[in-house]
Amino acid sequence: MESKGKGGGYLLSLEGIRELFDRLREKYRVIAPKLKDGLIAFSDVDNFESLPFGYKNVEAPGFYSLERSGGYFTYTHPYNSFKNFLHPPELTLIKVKKENGKLSFQVHIQEEALCLFDIRACDLSALRVLDLVFLHKNPHPDPYYAGLRKGLFVVAVNCTYATSTCFCSTMGTGPEVKEGYDLLITELSEGFLVEVGSERGGEILEKVENKSDAERRHFKEKAQRLGETEATMRVHFEKEGLQERLYGRMDSTYWEHIEKRCVACTSCTQACPTCFCFDILEKNQLDLKESQRVRVWDSCFSPSFATVHRFNLRQSVHSRYRQWLMHKFAYWVDQFDCFGCVGCGRCITWCPVGIDIREEVRRIAYA
């Protein structure tokens, strides 16, 4: 398990991490975890003191709370997802204005230097999934996503703690960050091991003065901490053959039992870092001088989602739940050669009735 980043590693003190953060702030709009309304949330962060150091999120099906804890990167991931910034809940695509009898069209493609600071292994896997959806396996790459994704700088952090809803080890996405980062931080007893994953990551770290070369023992401690974290997580189901097992249960009456609990609130799809479905709306001013074409998040749990010519193809809640679960664990594999679930557990925590997708997959596929 012992590994080094592509460009070696350095040991930084807390002051070194602060200096790194400040240097990133000079160049990027930094999106990072922050305490907000009693939650740890991905937010715009302007100063190092806003990071939720010394807190730990405690999560269970339908439950979330924060506790004080020793250390710094002692939480897992924020309650919300980074997708709020790369695939915003509401995004204006085109504005049309009528002036002097003529129409003008303005296409709004944002190009902004963003930095995701403190992204965990599950979310980094979700970022790769969204890249496939919007760019790499899309015959018509999305220019709006591409504009925000283009210059994204990624500072990842290895998890040394897991909540009861985390199942990244089951999905093979964590807790160790293995790729897709510019810099990777692991909190150790002596300080912070920072590994370089890209040329621009090395360039930023080169400017940080408060650092020393990491030694072999630092990488050993990293491997030990990650091993201890993974040991606290159980494997909930086997991925091998899961897709075929689920396809074989499409007509099972089990799905109907879900309808007695699921309230189709769409909370799971909004919290999920890989759910990407959207609708396109037209917002017209009453004086007809301006119109906006807006992209908004949609959900396969919404009654209108599968409505075609006023007929809803999925009228029952259990048919919508089946669509969601099958997309994550079966259809997605056909479309993108990977699972659509990264094991972050947000859908479990934020389900108001505590439906646990790990239990449902096990019951449906292995009953």
Side-chain angles (χ1 to χ4, degrees):
M1 203 164 183
E2 182 180 343
S3 63
K4 291 184 178 182
K6 296 174 184 176
Y10 296 89
L11 191 70
L12 273 65
S13 64
L14 183 62
E15 281 307 305
I17 296 293
R18 181 197 301 273
E19 186 183 349
L20 171 63
F21 181 89
D22 290 340
R23 290 194 178 278
L24 289 167
R25 273 284 302 139
E26 293 172 359
K27 191 172 181 179
Y28 298 95
R29 172 189 167 197
V30 175
I31 310 299
K34 179 181 180 180
L35 280 181
K36 191 174 182 181
D37 300 328
L39 304 164
I40 294 176
F42 266 128
S43 306
D44 281 279
V45 175
D46 295 326
N47 60 76
F48 188 69
E49 284 70 26
S50 294
L51 297 175
F53 287 156
Y55 281 90
K56 181 173 75 173
N57 52 317
V58 178
E59 303 187 24
F63 177 84
Y64 180 98
S65 70
L66 292 179
E67 293 180 355
R68 294 293 296 186
S69 176
Y72 297 92
F73 295 102
T74 46
Y75 42 89
T76 58
H77 52 65
Y79 88 92
N80 60 346
S81 162
F82 68 89
K83 86 174 177 185
N84 293 47
F85 298 91
L86 296 181
H87 175 44
E90 181 171 328
L91 180 69
T92 299
L93 305 179
I94 302 174
K95 276 186 181 178
V96 183
K97 289 186 176 181
K98 185 177 182 181
E99 293 177 321
N100 301 321
K102 295 182 179 178
L103 296 178
S104 64
F105 296 82
Q106 299 173 357
V107 179
H108 285 258
I109 295 179
Q110 288 181 261
E111 291 187 358
E112 191 171 14
L114 296 177
C115 169
L116 284 177
F117 186 91
D118 188 0
I119 184 171
R120 304 305 172 102
C122 56
D123 278 349
L124 206 46
S125 291
L127 177 61
R128 287 193 288 274
V129 170
L130 289 188
D131 286 349
L132 293 175
V133 171
F134 285 108
L135 301 176
H136 305 318
K137 290 208 171 186
N138 190 327
H140 305 285
D142 186 290
Y144 301 94
Y145 180 87
L148 293 168
R149 178 68 174 90
K150 185 178 178 182
L152 184 68
F153 190 97
V154 174
V155 179
V157 173
N158 274 319
C159 279
T160 52
Y161 160 70
T163 73
S164 72
T165 57
C166 292
F167 63 110
C168 59
S169 61
T170 299
M171 298 309 301
T173 60
E176 182 181 10
V177 175
K178 295 180 178 176
E179 59 181 338
Y181 58 87
D182 293 295
L183 292 173
L184 171 61
I185 298 173
T186 307
E187 184 173 348
L188 304 178
S189 57
E190 292 181 47
F192 303 89
L193 174 63
V194 181
E195 296 169 79
V196 178
S198 71
E199 185 175 342
R200 60 180 184 164
E203 291 171 356
I204 284 281
L205 194 57
E206 185 66 30
K207 297 174 183 174
V208 175
E209 296 177 358
N210 293 300
K211 65 178 186 294
S212 59
D213 289 337
E215 300 177 14
R216 187 175 181 81
R217 60 191 169 90
H218 297 131
F219 290 96
K220 282 187 174 179
E221 185 180 348
K222 168 193 165 185
Q224 179 188 345
R225 289 197 164 211
L226 285 165
E228 290 172 352
T229 303
E230 188 164 358
T232 66
M233 307 170 72
R234 56 177 284 207
V235 175
H236 292 269
F237 49 80
E238 290 295 328
K239 287 189 301 177
E240 186 69 31
L242 178 59
Q243 181 189 15
E244 290 74 16
R245 282 178 173 273
L246 288 172
Y247 276 131
R249 303 279 288 173
M250 285 288 286
D251 296 324
S252 170
T253 56
Y254 181 82
W255 300 104
E256 298 172 15
H257 296 287
I258 290 287
E259 190 156 330
K260 297 177 181 176
R261 293 178 289 152
C262 178
V263 294
C265 67
T266 77
S267 179
C268 52
T269 57
Q270 293 184 55
C272 175
T274 64
C275 278
F276 60 87
C277 291
F278 58 83
D279 198 358
I280 302 292
L281 305 177
E282 303 291 344
K283 289 187 175 180
N284 301 317
Q285 289 186 352
L286 291 177
D287 61 8
L288 302 182
K289 290 185 176 179
E290 182 177 307
S291 177
Q292 294 184 31
R293 179 162 294 178
V294 180
R295 181 162 76 185
V296 297
W297 286 358
D298 203 350
S299 170
C300 48
F301 285 93
S302 297
S304 62
F305 185 83
T307 297
V308 179
H309 298 301
R310 303 180 68 180
F311 177 73
N312 189 349
L313 299 173
R314 299 190 197 105
Q315 298 186 33
S316 65
V317 172
H318 78 260
S319 66
R320 297 175 208 160
Y321 189 89
R322 181 177 59 192
Q323 161 65 24
W324 180 67
L325 188 144
M326 289 295 293
H327 197 198
K328 294 293 180 194
F329 294 96
Y331 308 153
W332 213 300
V333 179
D334 293 332
Q335 288 177 287
F336 304 110
D337 296 326
C338 67
F339 287 101
C341 174
V342 295
C344 70
R346 287 183 176 96
C347 62
I348 303 169
T349 300
W350 297 105
C351 177
V353 297
I355 294 176
D356 187 331
I357 195 172
R358 300 168 299 188
E359 296 293 326
E360 302 311 323
V361 168
R362 195 163 57 235
R363 287 170 183 161
I364 295 167
Y366 298 96

